[in-house]
Amino acid sequence: MGKVHVFDHPLIQHKLTFIRDVNTGTKEFRELVDEVATLMAYEITRDLPLRKTEVETPVQMAESYVLAGKKLGIVPILRAGIGMMDGILKLIPAAKVGHIGLYRDPETLKPIEYYAKLPSDIGEREFIVVDPMLATGGSAIAAIDSLKTRGASHIRFMCLIAAPEGVKALAEAHPDVDIYIAALDEKLNEHGYIVPGLGDAGDRLFGTK
Ligand SMILES: O=P(O)(O)OC[C@H]1O[C@H](OP(=O)(O)OP(=O)(O)O)[C@H](O)[C@@H]1O
Ligand SMILES: O=c1cc[nH]c(=O)[nH]1
Ligand SMILES: [Mg+2]
């Protein structure tokens, strides 16, 4: 079973409060999601492997470290995942970006894939799939299914807010995938929305509705 990590960093928790706030407008919402994505990227990369190297400082040669291991790929689930992408790329600019387009059918709550474009060297990369919301888990499971079908084998999933139902479903469907979240909320409501959540992440990011 993959591990579930809840990021309790005070800055993440503080900013998340304003992201949740119904009175936060589109511009500020987008900026806050971007900032939290950067902070979460900092936390999620904590365990990346390093190798020793040497660097010439203005004073003398020094032993130092650079990143080693697999190259990274970021996969935002369209649309709302796009809101977290730039914040992650600020810290990991060399990562390649794949896109998977999914929307949740409002009646059945089942995900429908409408787009996929992934890096060509998919088997050589470690992927972070990102989406602000993990509700029923259907979208995250489908996105990871899609990545695995195309050859990815090292995948993590990162979101802002998760429902217990989504965490359970994702952990059962993909036990090899670690899940990183900023907040684990109470439940889903009858429309499949996270309670208390933040509403519809895509609509709040892009000003639709
Ligand atoms: O865990 P689930 O029950 O699948 O729900 C979560 C999905 O729902 C939202 O996307 P939505 O379908 O609203 O698409 P959008 O990003 O285009 O708004 C959200 O961004 C996730 O992708
Ligand atoms: O609470 C939810 C659930 C699914 N998608 C969202 O954007 N919000
Ligand atoms: Mg939406």
Side-chain angles (χ1 to χ4, degrees), residues 79-80 103-104 193 199-204 208:
R79 256 177 333 162
Y103 70 90
R104 213 170 61 147
Y193 275 80
D200 189 299
D203 285 343
R204 295 198 64 190
T208 45

Side-chain angles (χ1 to χ4, degrees), residues 80 104 131-136 139 161 187-189 191-204:
R104 213 170 61 147
D131 191 320
M133 310 306 277
L134 179 66
T136 65
S139 302
I161 300 180
K187 59 177 183 185
L188 294 178
N189 69 14
H191 305 294
Y193 275 80
I194 299 176
V195 179
L198 54 72
D200 189 299
D203 285 343
R204 295 198 64 190

